[in-house]
Amino acid sequence: MEPEELDGTVDVAAYGVPYDGAVTNKPGTRYGPEAVRTATNRYSRVFDSDKKRYSIATDRTASYDGVTVRDCGDAPVTPNSTEETYESVVEYAETIAAEAMPVMIGGDHYLTYPAFVGYANAVEDDIGIIHLDAHEDIGSSDLYGEHYHGSPMSRIADTEYGGLENHAMVGIRGHSRMEVLDAIEEEGLHIEYAKDVHEKGIEACIENAIEHATDGVDHVYLTMDIDVVDPSYAPGTGTPAPGGITSNDLLRAADRLGECDAIGAVDLVEVLPTEDPAGTTSLVGANALSRFFESYFYEE
Amino acid sequence: MEPEELDGTVDVAAYGVPYDGAVTNKPGTRYGPEAVRTATNRYSRVFDSDKKRYSIATDRTASYDGVTVRDCGDAPVTPNSTEETYESVVEYAETIAAEAMPVMIGGDHYLTYPAFVGYANAVEDDIGIIHLDAHEDIGSSDLYGEHYHGSPMSRIADTEYGGLENHAMVGIRGHSRMEVLDAIEEEGLHIEYAKDVHEKGIEACIENAIEHATDGVDHVYLTMDIDVVDPSYAPGTGTPAPGGITSNDLLRAADRLGECDAIGAVDLVEVLPTEDPAGTTSLVGANALSRFFESYFYEE
Amino acid sequence: MEPEELDGTVDVAAYGVPYDGAVTNKPGTRYGPEAVRTATNRYSRVFDSDKKRYSIATDRTASYDGVTVRDCGDAPVTPNSTEETYESVVEYAETIAAEAMPVMIGGDHYLTYPAFVGYANAVEDDIGIIHLDAHEDIGSSDLYGEHYHGSPMSRIADTEYGGLENHAMVGIRGHSRMEVLDAIEEEGLHIEYAKDVHEKGIEACIENAIEHATDGVDHVYLTMDIDVVDPSYAPGTGTPAPGGITSNDLLRAADRLGECDAIGAVDLVEVLPTEDPAGTTSLVGANALSRFFESYFYEE
Amino acid sequence: MEPEELDGTVDVAAYGVPYDGAVTNKPGTRYGPEAVRTATNRYSRVFDSDKKRYSIATDRTASYDGVTVRDCGDAPVTPNSTEETYESVVEYAETIAAEAMPVMIGGDHYLTYPAFVGYANAVEDDIGIIHLDAHEDIGSSDLYGEHYHGSPMSRIADTEYGGLENHAMVGIRGHSRMEVLDAIEEEGLHIEYAKDVHEKGIEACIENAIEHATDGVDHVYLTMDIDVVDPSYAPGTGTPAPGGITSNDLLRAADRLGECDAIGAVDLVEVLPTEDPAGTTSLVGANALSRFFESYFYEE
Amino acid sequence: MEPEELDGTVDVAAYGVPYDGAVTNKPGTRYGPEAVRTATNRYSRVFDSDKKRYSIATDRTASYDGVTVRDCGDAPVTPNSTEETYESVVEYAETIAAEAMPVMIGGDHYLTYPAFVGYANAVEDDIGIIHLDAHEDIGSSDLYGEHYHGSPMSRIADTEYGGLENHAMVGIRGHSRMEVLDAIEEEGLHIEYAKDVHEKGIEACIENAIEHATDGVDHVYLTMDIDVVDPSYAPGTGTPAPGGITSNDLLRAADRLGECDAIGAVDLVEVLPTEDPAGTTSLVGANALSRFFESYFYEE
Amino acid sequence: MEPEELDGTVDVAAYGVPYDGAVTNKPGTRYGPEAVRTATNRYSRVFDSDKKRYSIATDRTASYDGVTVRDCGDAPVTPNSTEETYESVVEYAETIAAEAMPVMIGGDHYLTYPAFVGYANAVEDDIGIIHLDAHEDIGSSDLYGEHYHGSPMSRIADTEYGGLENHAMVGIRGHSRMEVLDAIEEEGLHIEYAKDVHEKGIEACIENAIEHATDGVDHVYLTMDIDVVDPSYAPGTGTPAPGGITSNDLLRAADRLGECDAIGAVDLVEVLPTEDPAGTTSLVGANALSRFFESYFYEE
Ligand SMILES: [Mn+2]
Ligand SMILES: [Mn+2]
Ligand SMILES: [Mn+2]
Ligand SMILES: [Mn+2]
Ligand SMILES: [Mn+2]
Ligand SMILES: [Mn+2]
Ligand SMILES: [Mn+2]
Ligand SMILES: [Mn+2]
Ligand SMILES: [Mn+2]
Ligand SMILES: [Mn+2]
Ligand SMILES: [Mn+2]
Ligand SMILES: [Mn+2]
């Protein structure tokens, strides 16, 4: 259904953004929405009936009667213009967020910026960020300027409703920049590194992230860059980084994040189907979304 | 050699079933036997000499002098008929089982049904099942009926020699069905979920499975659906499910299962070479078979 | 720059050897140097400036001012002659080693033999070996003779400066040979098996390896066969073996090995780009090299 | 739109049949409808406006105002039952044919049989066949029986409205069977072999085929097996046969066939996306359909 | 060597532009320069010696003593900015064109616009265009605006030195637009359609194109979109169109075009290595360049 | 069956040589015999029965009753030794040639040298050569020496039974060497270039080749390098050259060559399965062999 057809009776409204024009490395995440949708087919049956469901993965039973999930198709994009695509996504996200919980499927990580702005325009309030990623994405670059897939967290921090003091990252390991130290020490950014996950376990890291992101705010935006997962589980991404968390870590993170009611918007980005020979990357991403919502709407 | 040439001097007789007509998802496991055979080349030297062997993977030394392993080729299949293929596999399995330990290489998981029946016809006794899989495969479906690759465990339970009370599953995580709860609570099915393996370790789970499956029976059929392993290790399968066990878990399971003398028949199914770009999936399957038999015939 | 242009001002000089003529299994590691170089692009920025760097992967800050890394291109090879390629690599390695720390990028593992000899000719002293691999590579073969990619460790042991008593292997699991037991029991070879890594952790295993390899010698040659990593992380190799260590284990091994000042030469071999559909194997190899040198030149 | 929503205002109604259960060779044509639809995106603009169009490929101008083309989605299939799929396709085809010109996208070539029967049920009259293929598909087989992808032309000939005397084949080259000679000499089958196309040109062959197929009948069913084209142009098919016609031959055939008003139903089958690495096969198929309809509805 | 190092002693200076940001379909031509360079390795030996060469492909002997060809590396690009890339390519092309014959390797076809402008800035005179392509690329689009890979010929026609009256296209077949008819009838555009090549032969078509493009001008820019060749020969391109010319047609076109002394700049664009599984597309492109220059500098 | 089991009752005895150690470009033809054998499955039925067969490809009927074809498996190879492999192939070929017509499936083109020598040892007489190839393969090289896949025709010419005066090449186009002119003008080499095939047709070229090769000799060795066919038909080869003949040209060449009774040995080389994504290359090669023997044993 179209975003403007939403009338408050839908709980979750997904939309795709087939855009990769802000990528500086391998292109092709424009095919991400199509691949993730195909991969969700196996999981979509959970919410489409009034029957009780037994989830074998988590060994618990639930009824999702009354939970409605819809696909609002792809936001219009202009393949050769980041600016026009930005405007389109802001509008799409805002229209959806006014009536349902928006779930954006990218596309490259720059798209989190307009998806956040659209959501923020709808809630008009401070918003925390939980950000699963191999990279911190707070860069600016002499070469790429301020608007590329490595910069969205800085653009969000510049907005009225964002800010690094409520931004918690999980799984970071990929790059080397002094700016990150500044952001941690001076602006309140919280990071659970990949090595923290290896040492403390994913649950503890997610606990910390939730605590930090929700401190003093009522709304949280959850963004999942698929490259947070190790390339063995998710080869299909443009900037893979070895040493990542397992896909099971991501699924358990999704279980725990689903218990955080403050989360009001979600995205999944950087799935690159052209480097995903067996389709396992989009499968992990789709499963993480499914596990998140199974937990989010779970009632004993 | 042909099954009818077996005369009791062969210990293990492998056969392929290049059939995927009972698949409801991605086809192509018809190429499984060919791929698994190629992958076993590296392991086959273990049993073909009278020399003592030092196994570097397990750091122990053994002589397999006297153990004979043979390949009986592929059972005849009719690509467009599940019924005819069923009959052919039952006959092939029964002929082999009368003289040697049968090892079936699939093909899709439906084939475990005729392979079990052939084995049961030979032993004419109650048979327990140890079943490594991401999925419980006890479905029946309005769409697919009773005979497809998601139903073999129910078909086996319906036979004279089967039954869920001696059926132990390991690694399950993939689907969501209320029927499974019934099977557990009312029919005695035992499940070690994938998350149990993550939490308790594979050895403990296999211990429990062996205990359950052998309780009161003298014969056990071991079936390994390669999708029990996480897609990062085994992308080449038609119904991959994230959150699985590691390939090392499977190898250690094989070591432990090899100590269970009650096991009298084995299969390996759902290897899908067309989604296995680097051949790692068939390699894991072949290695699991090799490790199982190294343990099974091990004598200090 | 060319090896003969080195004048003592360069710290690390990498060179490729695009040769796979000593392989007995899948060919194609001749494309390894090209793939590993491409994958190092992301890591090369660490050493090329005088700025302090914050490494997000290890959460520590360092300045590499004064450390100079150069690429000396590929050593000449004769695709159809192992003998001529041997001579060429010895000369290339020796020329480089006289002026800088040589880093050889293979090519197949036989090349460690000439790379070692070239290094040994330069240092003219006993050399220990730390050897990360799935296989022990001390074979000789009726079929392949003494000069193939499964034999370099025996050829090295035969040289004046080598010897198994200072050879420590880590991650071994792949083959089954009685010769290995002899080498351990009679010649002092030390092995940390893959299962030791699974049980004791990579740090403890690397500690033991360093201790053994440096016992009584001042120089150590570090050789990394990418197949030490499990095929899920490194599918692109010619003799993959399930049950391996994780890529994160390799990265942490590199961190620890970088603290061993005795290491004076390094290689990375057996990367097979034609079986590496998403490029993850060469990425892991490149990252391991980067992590090793970040640690090696780290100053608090 | 659904077939039952058609009300006579639509000219052409396409539908997919994602079924390959009657294949005896490589599976995977179940993905054909999806791939062909994606490939038609480039061509679909021709019919969706009231503007005059200049076709650069044929250098002529036309207005397709008033021509309506719709996609009726996929006919329901049962992946593991040829019989049930047969029934479903007959019904789908018949419902569509009652209101519009049906265009079936397979799937394997067996599906031409139910698609023909559905069309025949709607027209209730004798129907000629124009059949572009590498193979004559009039087989019956001891192994596969009467219902597989090599037999549909015999099954059609057995129906009330079919018959080989109005069946014209073009491009045949693939198999060797005496039955074909009988069909030609005794039942009136007409064949333009692939070598006839190479020698006489595609136009002359199509002329002959139209003449034969329309002789005495008012309705013609056009079936295009993509393997009629040489594997260099169409690698993505399960039974490729070298020595085929060019893709340009197929496009020019489509131009000429579009002038044959008797054609009342069309299909395109045997597109195998899993063997079509660059998507060129589905592109050729989609372009052939487009060229056929541009010619069919062309008015100067 | 760098463009600014050119000093008039080099005859041909090639440069790459790894940019695909103006593409509206499949991305990835950013890898084109790398792939084409690798493919030219086989042909580069022709010009690097003073020996007479016997060309087996054309059965004639020539000496290219005195002809100097150099690679000037890649022009700087900004992956997320068409405007900045435009400026960079204009400057690079102009610097090169002042001293040597520039050969641009794309990248997408939009890049012909800045490459032409750079060349035009150097010659400061009217320039004809010979344009081999499946598409006419004179589009403007409500969706993509004026600056994308389907519009460069219009942008060139808008410049001081361009103009459709000296623009000759060869191989066109791909799209359907009324604007093309206007360009032909009112602006003097000349088209040799793909079907003209099939009917008249490539030599005749190239003759006509040269005659049209050189009519009244002293300089000609030759642009080769690899998609002019049929997808069977060149699958690796983003907008493939069946019914194209053969690769041998392209090679013979290159032979004939090499006799046209007015040609002063050349480009090869739209090679998409990620859709070119066997590397045949970049091979055809590289061979066409080689054949052009063998003919261009040929002296009996 | 083994070569030594042949007893004169077999007409044609095929054998593979899985060796590519003499290749100087892309490795992988070691997988050629396996791929070609798989591809011949479709054609093998022709000769295995006493029934009359109607060949649809050539539209003629024949009975091959009495013709016996056998596969003698692979000759032993030493992957890292061209010398040892040479010896092995000579012996294998000679043993076979003493009792049946040998058909060697490579492997790289160097193998034609030992396969020729083995055949020559059996016939002990002058032997003409018909050689289909993109390259003339009479090179010697400063870099590779005298024994690599570009030199076999010179090595054969050096033997007692070879000589360029009875050597006819067809399809040549690939390299540029003055030596070839000498061979033509001084040693009697005859070449039908690829452009001759394009201009005169394949039949005329084959006529000329047969005439030249059989002039004064009673025995002819036929060698087919698959790269004689254009890369669009045969991408799977290590040294592809655009501008080649079509696969249909090769099939028609096989038809005509089959009428030349002097041909007493055949080979097919340079099939590279790892660059053959849809298997079309090995299919063309297998079909050419099949067409040759259908013609060779044809009796009206
Ligand atoms: Mn990231
Ligand atoms: Mn990110
Ligand atoms: Mn299963
Ligand atoms: Mn399963
Ligand atoms: Mn190894
Ligand atoms: Mn090794
Ligand atoms: Mn066919
Ligand atoms: Mn057919
Ligand atoms: Mn273009
Ligand atoms: Mn184009
Ligand atoms: Mn050749
Ligand atoms: Mn050759």
Side-chain angles (χ1 to χ4, degrees), chain B residues 26 33 41 44 54 78 82 88 93 113 115-116 121 125 146 151 157 160 230-231 274 290:
Chain B
K26 294 185 191 174
N41 286 349
S44 60
Y54 173 63
T78 308
T82 298
S88 168
Y113 175 33
F116 175 92
N121 288 349
D125 199 358
E146 298 204 323
S151 74
E160 182 180 359
D230 190 84
T274 50
S290 168

Side-chain angles (χ1 to χ4, degrees), chain B residues 225-262:
Chain B
D225 182 332
I226 197 67
D227 69 23
V228 69
V229 177
D230 190 84
S232 58
Y233 303 89
T237 196
T239 326
I245 71 175
T246 71
S247 62
N248 201 45
D249 285 336
L250 180 62
L251 299 181
R252 287 155 68 206
D255 289 342
R256 179 65 192 88
L257 289 164
E259 296 169 7
C260 174
D261 293 338

